[in-house]
């Protein structure tokens, strides 16, 4: 490649970060503008801008919910319901349940609406306004009545218009009978679990009320060296102003402060996350440990905290043992010599499981442990003051088992504190730390033990998992599906066959499942609760301390443990993780560098590859035993998405119907390797099982080309299609000859004779396809693109000629494309044009739109107003080649001449910011294919315009316009012009027209269409 991979990666990372920040700012601006419009009563305008914000930030839940509310105001109940339902499957919040109930009632499903109200009232405190609405809804359903608890007041509300006598219970204790619609609970009501309210033994809607849910808080605190800063809120009563109480080590209240500062909406990850921020200057405090608590005396996540602990004067350590007490920084690369080894002189093994939340996950975890527990191993459960009383009751029931022990915390101490409690209870024992959201297979304990004692200086052992950072499999760099217990056992069996007794040195263990030898634990000490609060990073700190004493940390490559991840911390997870990683880097200045160095060198890459290969071979053998053959369709393509990706996926779907499995060869980010991606299910499928994933067939190029070739030769390839070389290392082209398989060449653009792909030169202008290569060479200059050296056009054309000539067939998307390719490669014969879509030229525009929109609700009465202007719709991702400069010119000209013309882009541009303050253009943001027609229709445009300045080989967006019922205007270039001529569904303009001429023509066409519509 033309640049050093690390430089290229840095540039890419910086560019991506800049792009994400630009999008975030645009989303925040769109959101604020939508709020302004809503405040002024312009609901349609507000909806358009909120929809744009919603699309920009990948469906931010807060913005999505605001959009739901706007759709509700517009009485678009189906659209609002479709937006809200997936949100409620992911998040639990009061307003969501309430609005869901309202929508269900409007849609005629009153019984389900009451079910949502039941849940909302049992877990949340209503407002005065929502209480009135809830009462009416419950009365309409002819229910007995409803009740609620206002946590900030300790007050009960009852819908009791006829003053019937109600029985009120705290847990099972009858506390009063009353006919009052409002009354206060007795002191210490917060100590109970449930509030029951009944009328003649019939519970009211909302009863039983979960008291601990009503009074729950979520909060977080950290120190930046200048102040305590964090946030706090009451999810069941989000408008309540929270109080932060700061206590010193003696438990004396040092400070009380109200949290009032709002968050920026576009940064939030939880819908209606109305936590308030606080900042408390440290100048008011002395050195020591402080606890920051809520109104009920519960620690915020991150508390207790010593804000000055890591700011002591740094000095060189002389005694590594002393260092562990004084928190002095030591390099993460430092390794001790000989640990104090006691060998197998252990008293036994204890599995320690801290429990806080996640009842279902905990039950499944404990059951899987019991089903795999060897004789002599004990299970220590630690209830870390769980708010889930049903979970606590279940834990209590387990202690009848001879191998299960249970310890209760009277206050929540977090993962490190709970782990320490469990380890402290079993001195001299080997310890296996296990998260309560894991699933373990049979044999896992025996194998961990064997790995721990295969060398005398091994301190910790960690297994593979689906969610364990560098120990993750199949993917190690993105989220994996959560496996079932059956999948965990299957993966364990595979690993046992491939890597039995294999260990690999790693820089740190992982606390989701980590074996700690008794002698390592004795020498290193417990986890440091005062540093890491509720958890994240405490096991890494432990591993660093152990490493400094000479202990090794290893991966047991023959064990797999399932892990759901992130059950306990919810909203504070990312904040706590970020805070504790900063602490790790203060303690061990090279920690991040050490871990990143390990990741960069990817010591486990070959291990993951071997696992994938073995699994695939076993699957192929299974097919063979059934008398079948696992056949593959080989695709070479890029990673840039767009129309090429859609075309490739449609081809892949065709092959799946024939029993052929798509196998994609794609370039990696830096282009110095390729990935063979086996896609058993469509990429659009939401149900991808973890056993269907094989993401580790990655081959460095050119060094591992031979291995890639062997891998492919060992597969039965039924067909071989070349779709794109963009981003690929040049070595990948050798497969066309070396595989010895007939291949079909699909040309989606003009890369075969233009390295710039779209025939647009460096000045952003269509090059007119010069006949002289010297002109092309001057245009390319000394650019490398994806080549190892500057492009030489003669060699480029010669290579393409050879590849095209050797292809079994050459397939292009349109007749226009076929003619252009044939012009540049006159010796190449048999180029076939295969339309990517059926334009149905036999149907009129009205007929095509009618059949395309049969399943789309009529939204005409809720469309954005055009203020008397004609409206032009532009569809797609509008870059330079797609006509970005043309659009800029049209908007500027229409402004300067004050034309009755405005534009809407359904999609995005290369820089939306340039249009933000112009009221003559609106940009919706990106869309999904399935919603495209409805979104275009919602814009109420007069006409669709496609300003692409290059001869496109196809245009999916053109089909969207027709299916939306819009006549189209295109330049006389490429496939779009050919398609318009064939179907007579639009007009064709000369690409040489000046900007004012284009605007004038658009106005004329809009007037004609408006006239025709009015007369019809």
């Amino acid at each position: 490649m033309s640049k050093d991979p690390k430089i290229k990666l840095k540039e890419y990372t910086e560019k991506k970060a800049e792009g994400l920040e630009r999008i975030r700012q645009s989303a925040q601006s769109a959101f604020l503008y939508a709020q302004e419009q809503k405040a002024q009563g312009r609901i349609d305008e507000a909806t358009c801008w909120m929809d744009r914000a919603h699309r920009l930030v990948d469906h931010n839940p807060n913005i999505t919910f605001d959009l739901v509310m706007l759709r509700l105001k517009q009485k678009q109940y189906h659209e609002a319901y479709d937006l809200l339902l997936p949100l409620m499957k992911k998040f639990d919040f009061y307003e969501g349940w309430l609005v869901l109930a309202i929508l269900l009632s409007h849609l005629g499903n009153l019984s389900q609406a009451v079910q949502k109200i039941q849940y909302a009232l049992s877990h949340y405190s209503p407002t005065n306004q929502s209480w009135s609405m809830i009462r009416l809804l419950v009365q309409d359903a002819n229910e007995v009545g409803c009740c609620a608890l206002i946590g900030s007041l300790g007050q009960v509300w009852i819908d009791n218009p006829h003053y019937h006598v109600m029985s009120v219970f705290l847990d099972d204790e009858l506390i009063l009978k009353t006919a009052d619609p409002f009354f206060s609970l007795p002191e210490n009501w917060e100590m109970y679990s449930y509030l029951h309210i009944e009328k003649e033994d019939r519970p009211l809607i909302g009863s039983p009320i979960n008291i601990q849910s009503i009074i729950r808080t979520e909060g977080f605190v950290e120190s930046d060296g200048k102040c305590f800063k964090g946030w706090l809120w009451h999810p069941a009563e989000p408008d309540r102003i929270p109080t932060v109480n700061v206590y010193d080590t003696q438990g004396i209240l040092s400070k009380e402060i109200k949290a009032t500062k709002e968050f920026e909406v576009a940064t939030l990850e939880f819908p209606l996350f109305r936590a308030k921020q606080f900042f408390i200057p440290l100048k008011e405090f002395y050195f020591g440990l402080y606890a920051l608590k809520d109104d009920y005396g519960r620690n915020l996540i991150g508390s207790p905290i010593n804000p000055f602990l890591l700011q002591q004067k740094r000095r060189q350590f002389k005694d590594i043992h002393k260092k562990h007490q004084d928190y002095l920084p030591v390099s993460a690369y430092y390794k001790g010599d000989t640990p104090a080894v006691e060998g197998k002189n252990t008293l036994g093994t204890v599995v320690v499981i801290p429990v806080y939340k996640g009842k279902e996950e905990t039950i499944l975890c404990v059951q899987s442990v019991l089903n795999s527990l060897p004789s002599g191993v004990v299970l220590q459960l630690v209830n870390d003051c769980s708010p889930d009383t049903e979970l606590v009751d279940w834990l209590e029931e387990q202690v009848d088992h001879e191998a299960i022990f249970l310890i209760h915390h009277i206050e929540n101490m977090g993962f490190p504190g709970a782990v320490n409690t469990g380890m402290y209870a079993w001195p001299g024992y080997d310890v296996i730390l296990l998260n309560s959201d894991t699933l373990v297979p049979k044999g896992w304990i025996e194998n961990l033990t064997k790995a721990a004692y295969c060398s005398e200086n091994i301190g910790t052992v960690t297994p593979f998992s689906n969610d364990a950072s560098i120990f993750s499999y199949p993917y190690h760099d993105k989220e994996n599906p959560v496996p079932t217990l059956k999948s965990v056992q299957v993966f364990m069996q595979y690993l046992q066959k491939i890597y039995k007794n294999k260990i690999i040195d790693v820089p740190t263990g992982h606390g989701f499942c980590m074996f700690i030898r008794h002698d390592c634990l004795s020498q290193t000490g417990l986890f440091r609760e005062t540093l890491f609060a509720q958890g994240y990073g405490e096991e890494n700190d432990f591993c660093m301390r152990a490493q400094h004493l000479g202990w090794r940390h290893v991966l047991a490559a023959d064990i797999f443990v399932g892990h759901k991840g992130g059950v306990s911390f919810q909203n504070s997870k990312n904040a706590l993780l970020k805070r504790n990683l900063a602490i790790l880097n203060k303690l061990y200045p090279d920690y991040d560098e050490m871990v990143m160095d390990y990741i960069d060198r990817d010591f486990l890459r070959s291990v993951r590859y071997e696992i994938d290969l073995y699994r695939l071979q076993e699957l192929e053998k299974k097919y063979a035993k059934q008398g079948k053959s696992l056949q593959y369709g080989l695709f070479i393509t890029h990673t840039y998405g767009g129309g090429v990706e859609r075309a490739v996926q449609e081809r892949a779907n065709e092959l799946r119907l024939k029993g052929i499995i798509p196998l994609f060869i794609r370039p990696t980010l830096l282009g110095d390797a390729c990935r063979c991606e086996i896609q058993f299910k469509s990429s659009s499928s939401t149900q991808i099982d973890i056993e269907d994933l094989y993401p580790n067939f990655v081959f460095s190029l050119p060094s591992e080309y031979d291995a890639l070739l062997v891998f492919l030769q060992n597969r039965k390839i039924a067909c071989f299609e070349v779709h794109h070389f963009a981003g690929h290392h040049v070595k990948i082209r050798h497969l066309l000859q070396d595989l010895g398989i007939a291949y079909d060449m699909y040309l989606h653009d003009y890369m075969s004779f233009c390295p710039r792909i779209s025939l647009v030169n460096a000045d952003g202008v269509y090059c007119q396809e010069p006949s002289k290569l010297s002109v092309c060479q001057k245009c390319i200059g000394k650019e490398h693109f994806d080549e190892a050296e500057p492009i030489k056009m003669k060699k480029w054309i010669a290579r393409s000629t050879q590849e095209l000539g050797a292809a079994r067939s050459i397939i292009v998307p349109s007749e226009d494309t076929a003619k252009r390719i044939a012009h540049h490669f006159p010796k190449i014969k048999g180029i076939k044009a295969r339309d990517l879509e059926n334009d149905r030229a036999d149907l009129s525009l009205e007929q095509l739109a009618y059949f395309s929109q049969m399943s789309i609700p009529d939204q005409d009465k809720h469309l954005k107003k055009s203020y008397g202007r004609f409206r032009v719709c532009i569809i797609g991702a509008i870059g330079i080649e797609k006509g970005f400069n043309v659009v800029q010119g049209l908007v500027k000209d229409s402004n300067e001449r004050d034309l009755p013309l405005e534009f809407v882009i359904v999609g995005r541009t290369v820089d939306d910011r340039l249009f933000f303050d112009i009221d003559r253009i609106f940009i919706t943001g990106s869309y999904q294919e399935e919603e495209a027609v409805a979104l275009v229709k919602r814009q109420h445009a007069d006409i669709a315009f496609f300003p692409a300045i290059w001869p496109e080989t196809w245009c999916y967006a053109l089909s969207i316009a027709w299916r939306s019922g819009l006549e189209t205007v295109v330049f006389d270039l490429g496939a779009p012009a050919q398609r318009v001529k064939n179907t007579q569904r639009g007009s064709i303009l000369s690409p040489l027209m000046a900007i004012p001429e284009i605007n004038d023509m658009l106005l004329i066409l809009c007037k004609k269409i408006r006239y025709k519509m009015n007369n019809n």
Side-chain angles (χ1 to χ4, degrees):
M1 297 297 108
S2 57
K3 290 186 179 179
D4 177 85
K6 287 191 175 181
I7 295 176
K8 192 174 179 180
L9 179 60
K10 182 180 179 182
E11 290 176 352
Y12 170 83
T13 303
E14 291 174 351
K15 186 176 181 180
K16 182 178 180 181
E18 290 172 4
L20 291 174
E21 177 58 21
R22 186 165 65 244
I23 291 172
R24 189 199 65 77
Q25 291 176 2
S26 295
Q28 182 68 13
S29 298
F31 170 80
L32 294 175
Y33 187 73
Q35 297 287 43
E36 290 176 13
Q37 297 302 305
K38 183 172 67 172
Q40 296 173 25
R42 298 172 182 167
I43 301 303
D44 289 348
E45 186 79 5
T47 303
C48 287
W49 283 95
M50 195 66 75
D51 189 57
R52 168 173 164 74
H54 163 71
R55 296 172 188 283
L56 281 172
V57 286
D58 196 23
H59 304 277
N60 173 284
N62 287 278
I63 294 173
T64 300
F65 187 70
D66 272 316
L67 181 58
V68 168
M69 298 303 293
L70 288 167
R71 296 269 186 240
L72 179 59
K73 284 180 179 292
Q74 291 180 313
K75 298 183 180 180
Q76 295 182 356
Y77 304 128
H78 284 286
E79 292 84 349
Y81 182 81
D82 290 343
L83 278 169
L84 182 58
L85 191 60
L87 204 62
M88 297 310 299
K89 289 180 178 179
K90 189 175 182 181
F91 301 103
D92 183 347
F93 61 110
Y94 172 69
E95 291 86 350
W97 294 111
L98 188 61
V99 173
L100 197 58
I102 294 171
L103 290 171
L104 285 166
S105 66
H106 281 300
L107 294 172
N109 198 332
L110 205 55
S111 61
Q112 281 196 31
V114 171
Q115 291 177 14
K116 310 309 177 188
I117 292 297
Q118 164 67 34
Y119 183 87
L121 291 179
S122 66
H123 291 81
Y124 297 91
S125 298
T127 61
N128 284 318
Q129 184 179 6
S130 65
W131 177 243
S132 300
M133 187 280 302
I134 288 171
R135 292 174 60 199
L136 290 174
L137 195 151
V138 171
Q139 289 170 16
D140 288 345
N142 295 317
E143 293 289 344
V144 65
C146 55
C147 58
L149 170 60
I150 311 304
S152 56
L153 304 174
Q155 189 179 70
V156 178
W157 293 357
I158 299 178
D159 176 29
N160 189 15
H162 301 296
Y163 292 91
H164 294 291
V165 175
M166 303 288 175
S167 300
V168 182
F169 300 82
L170 282 173
D171 289 342
D172 296 326
E173 178 184 346
L174 177 65
I175 61 169
L176 80 154
K177 291 190 174 185
T178 180
D180 292 339
F182 305 99
F183 61 88
S184 296
L185 291 175
E187 288 188 14
N188 297 321
W189 61 270
E190 301 97 332
M191 305 299 293
Y192 291 86
S193 298
Y194 291 97
L195 172 67
H196 300 260
I197 302 177
E198 301 173 354
K199 174 190 172 185
E200 298 175 355
D201 296 330
R202 290 182 62 193
L204 273 62
I205 299 299
S207 176
I209 295 173
N210 188 323
I211 292 175
Q212 297 309 309
S213 182
I214 296 293
I215 66 171
R216 75 188 186 278
T217 57
E218 291 183 26
F220 170 75
V221 63
E222 61 182 334
S223 169
D224 63 0
K226 297 179 181 178
C227 65
F228 289 121
K229 62 179 183 178
W231 49 264
L232 180 61
W233 75 315
H234 298 262
E237 210 170 348
D239 291 326
R240 179 177 175 182
I241 301 298
T243 302
V244 180
N245 301 289
V246 186
Y247 295 88
D248 62 18
T249 50
Q250 281 75 43
I252 299 173
L253 183 65
S254 301
K255 184 78 174 180
E256 181 181 293
I257 188 172
K258 297 288 186 182
T260 57
K261 184 174 173 55
E262 301 283 349
F263 276 95
E264 193 178 76
V265 170
T267 66
L268 302 180
E269 299 175 353
F270 190 86
L272 295 192
F273 181 80
R274 298 209 289 275
K276 304 297 189 295
Q277 299 179 83
F278 61 85
F279 302 88
I280 308 175
L282 294 181
K283 61 184 179 181
E284 304 177 27
F285 302 94
Y286 299 100
F287 182 87
L289 196 66
Y290 289 88
L292 283 80
K293 301 190 176 186
D294 63 16
D295 288 326
Y296 301 101
R298 296 171 299 205
N299 277 310
L300 278 61
I301 297 296
S303 169
I305 181 173
N306 186 337
F308 307 102
L309 190 61
L310 299 178
Q311 297 176 27
Q312 302 175 79
K313 182 178 179 181
R314 297 188 176 192
R315 57 187 183 274
Q316 293 293 323
F317 65 92
K318 296 181 180 180
D319 184 346
I320 193 68
H321 295 79
K322 186 177 181 181
K323 177 261 162 187
H324 291 312
Q325 301 302 318
D326 295 342
Y327 306 100
L328 301 179
V330 181
S331 170
Y333 287 105
Y334 176 82
K335 295 183 179 179
D337 296 321
T338 53
V341 175
E342 296 177 12
K344 294 186 178 180
N345 298 322
T346 177
L347 298 178
T349 301
V350 58
V351 179
V352 176
I353 304 180
V355 178
Y356 182 58
K357 290 182 179 179
K359 176 187 172 185
E360 292 182 7
E361 291 84 1
T362 300
I363 291 175
L364 290 173
C365 171
V366 172
Q367 288 175 343
S368 70
V369 171
L370 290 178
N371 289 335
S372 61
L373 202 67
S375 175
V377 177
V378 295
L379 173 58
Q380 176 65 67
L381 302 172
V382 181
N383 166 30
D384 194 22
C385 196
S386 172
D388 189 334
T389 55
E390 292 183 0
L391 173 57
V392 174
D393 291 342
W394 186 85
L395 294 176
E396 288 280 7
E397 294 171 2
Q398 307 312 303
V399 295
D400 289 340
H401 192 289
E402 61 180 7
I404 296 182
F405 298 83
L406 175 63
I407 298 175
H408 293 286
H409 281 174
I410 60 173
E411 66 175 312
N412 181 260
M413 298 178 66
F415 186 83
V419 163
N420 282 348
T421 296
M423 294 192 295
Y424 189 79
W426 299 88
Y429 273 68
D430 290 329
V431 174
I432 301 177
L433 305 183
L434 190 66
N435 278 17
S436 61
D437 57 350
T438 54
L439 293 171
V440 295
K442 293 183 179 180
W444 70 290
I445 293 177
E446 295 89 333
N447 288 3
L448 283 173
T449 306
K450 189 179 297 184
Y453 286 100
C454 71
S455 177
E456 66 175 12
N457 62 346
I458 290 178
T460 73
V461 185
T462 303
F464 270 122
S465 175
N466 59 288
D467 182 6
S469 185
I470 61 175
F471 306 101
S472 293
Y473 174 84
Y475 285 105
H476 72 287
D477 53 357
K478 70 178 186 179
E479 186 176 350
N480 289 302
V482 178
T484 62
L485 181 57
K486 181 180 178 181
S487 294
V488 170
Q489 292 168 338
V490 168
F491 276 16
M492 178 75 168
Q493 291 169 4
Y494 284 140
L495 295 180
Q496 282 288 293
K497 292 177 181 177
I498 310 167
Y499 288 124
K500 189 171 182 63
N501 301 329
K502 182 179 180 64
I503 62 168
I504 302 169
D505 281 275
V506 291
T508 178
H510 195 300
F512 89 99
C513 176
M514 186 168 75
F515 187 108
I516 306 176
R517 260 179 41 180
H518 66 284
D519 39 5
C520 175
L521 178 60
S522 175
Q523 189 179 0
T524 307
L526 299 176
F527 287 178
R528 300 204 277 202
E529 307 168 36
T530 56
L531 276 176
F532 297 97
Q534 286 74 19
Y536 288 129
E538 69 283 345
E539 79 271 35
N540 309 96
D541 169 65
F542 175 89
C543 289
M544 288 299 96
R545 289 187 283 139
Q547 176 182 290
H548 295 162
L549 296 170
W551 294 100
R552 291 165 57 198
H553 310 294
V554 300
L555 162 74
D558 60 349
I559 309 172
F560 188 90
V561 171
H563 184 208
K564 183 173 183 180
V567 170
S568 296
F569 293 127
Q570 296 180 352
N571 297 308
S572 52
K573 174 180 178 179
N574 289 339
L576 187 63
L577 179 60
K578 183 179 178 181
R579 190 204 86 157
N580 286 358
L581 282 177
I583 292 174
L584 274 175
N585 280 284
K586 286 181 180 179
L587 288 169
Y588 314 105
D590 307 310
Y591 182 80
D592 270 351
E593 179 185 333
M594 177 198 66
V595 174
M596 289 308 300
D597 182 54
Y598 186 88
I599 293 173
D600 286 343
R601 289 190 280 173
D602 202 358
F603 291 100
L604 299 180
R605 176 187 161 192
S606 61
V607 174
R608 290 189 294 266
Y609 173 89
E610 291 294 336
I611 300 171
D612 271 8
L613 184 59
Y614 182 84
R615 290 175 51 223
L616 183 61
Q617 289 171 338
E618 289 298 297
L619 182 62
E620 291 169 339
K621 289 177 184 177
K622 181 179 178 181
Y623 270 75
K625 287 180 180 178
Q626 297 172 354
K628 303 176 183 177
S629 175
L630 193 57
Q631 299 183 77
Y632 300 92
L634 183 61
F635 294 79
I636 295 179
T637 188
H638 62 39
T639 59
Y640 303 132
V644 174
E645 182 64 19
R646 176 174 169 178
V648 169
Q649 288 297 337
E650 287 174 355
R651 279 290 300 144
N653 288 335
E654 291 176 18
L655 293 182
R656 285 193 196 90
L657 293 175
K658 298 176 181 179
I660 299 172
I661 305 302
L663 195 166
F664 299 97
I665 301 180
R666 301 184 190 271
T668 54
L669 176 63
L670 300 181
D672 57 350
C674 71
R675 183 188 304 275
C676 291
E677 173 190 324
I678 299 174
Q679 205 178 84
F680 284 96
K681 293 183 180 178
S682 170
S683 60
S684 61
S685 174
T686 57
Q687 300 294 327
I688 303 294
D689 190 88
I690 192 169
E691 292 186 57
D692 291 331
L693 298 177
Y694 297 83
N696 298 293
F697 298 130
V698 180
F699 302 87
S700 296
L701 297 174
S703 60
E704 294 179 348
Y705 174 78
D706 290 342
L708 167 65
L709 187 60
V710 170
F711 172 79
L712 295 173
Q713 288 172 335
N714 286 332
R715 315 272 81 76
K716 186 169 183 179
I717 298 176
C719 60
F720 182 8
E721 299 182 2
V722 180
H723 286 265
H724 225 290
F725 286 118
H728 277 288
H729 191 284
V730 68
K731 190 70 175 178
I732 209 72
R733 294 175 178 270
H734 291 213
L735 290 175
L736 305 188
Q737 180 177 349
D738 294 346
L739 273 178
I741 301 173
Y743 63 88
D744 300 309
M745 185 75 78
Y746 286 74
L747 302 181
H748 298 276
D749 47 46
Y750 305 108
M751 189 179 182
S752 57
F753 63 89
C754 175
R756 293 190 184 278
I757 296 178
S758 60
L759 307 178
V760 175
N761 62 29
D763 296 325
V765 178
Y766 171 42
C767 70
Q768 303 296 326
E769 303 176 54
S771 57
K772 294 183 178 180
L773 287 182
S774 59
V775 178
C776 295
Q777 187 65 62
K778 184 177 180 180
C779 174
I780 298 302
K782 296 183 179 179
E783 290 277 2
H784 287 242
F785 295 97
D786 296 317
E787 306 292 317
E789 56 188 24
I791 301 299
K792 300 296 182 184
M793 284 306 301
K794 285 186 178 181
K795 290 184 177 180
W796 186 278
I797 296 297
R799 182 177 65 186
S800 294
T801 301
Q802 189 276 325
E803 292 172 347
L804 292 171
R808 180 175 64 181
S809 64
I810 302 168
I811 300 161
V812 297
S814 64
E815 289 290 348
D816 182 87
T817 309
K819 291 176 183 178
R820 293 176 191 274
I821 297 295
H823 173 73
H824 289 276
F825 299 97
K827 294 182 179 180
I828 302 300
K829 306 299 179 183
I831 300 173
K832 302 175 184 177
R834 184 182 296 171
D835 291 351
L836 295 179
E837 299 170 285
N838 186 351
D839 283 342
R840 291 302 302 270
D842 58 313
L843 298 178
S844 67
L845 176 62
E846 291 76 11
Q847 289 171 327
L848 179 65
Y850 173 78
F851 291 119
S852 298
Q853 298 178 25
M854 288 180 67
S855 62
I856 299 175
D858 185 10
Q859 301 165 324
D860 284 351
K861 61 183 179 180
H862 303 296
L863 298 171
K864 178 180 168 69
K865 302 296 185 294
S866 60
Y867 306 110
R869 296 170 179 163
F870 295 100
R871 171 166 273 217
V872 178
C873 183
I874 300 168
I875 306 171
I878 310 303
I880 298 300
E881 73 285 353
K882 289 279 191 177
F884 178 78
N885 293 333
V886 175
V887 175
Q888 273 193 298
L890 294 175
V891 173
K892 182 180 179 183
D893 175 66
S894 59
N895 250 343
E896 290 175 348
R897 294 197 284 155
D898 194 24
L899 300 176
L901 200 61
E902 66 181 14
F903 303 85
V904 57
I905 296 178
V906 176
R908 57 185 173 83
T909 74
V910 288
D911 195 347
D912 293 354
R913 297 173 301 173
L914 297 179
F915 300 112
F916 188 75
D917 294 326
I918 303 173
D919 73 346
R920 201 172 288 270
I921 184 169
F922 179 76
I923 305 172
T924 66
S926 299
Y927 57 85
Q928 300 297 318
E929 179 64 26
E930 60 271 14
E931 63 174 336
V933 171
L935 182 59
V936 171
K937 189 183 176 193
R938 194 179 297 148
Q939 308 313 312
H940 202 25
D942 295 285
I943 202 167
F945 177 45
F946 293 86
I949 62 172
W950 71 296
E952 293 189 89
T953 58
W954 193 254
C955 180
Y956 284 113
L958 185 65
S959 305
I960 293 171
W962 287 339
R963 285 159 45 209
S964 305
L966 294 179
E967 288 194 22
T968 55
V969 182
V970 301
F971 287 132
D972 195 4
L973 288 170
Q978 175 199 324
R979 295 170 67 194
V980 170
K981 292 173 185 176
N982 291 343
T983 61
Q984 297 297 303
R985 293 180 188 144
S987 303
I988 297 172
L989 305 182
S990 168
L992 302 178
M993 291 176 69
I995 291 296
E997 292 177 307
I998 298 173
N999 264 339
D1000 291 341
M1001 185 56 70
L1002 290 175
L1003 270 175
I1004 292 171
L1005 293 171
C1006 285
K1007 288 177 181 178
K1008 285 183 178 180
I1009 291 169
R1010 186 80 64 90
Y1011 176 81
K1012 185 169 67 173
M1013 288 181 63
N1014 290 338
N1015 281 288
N1016 286 338

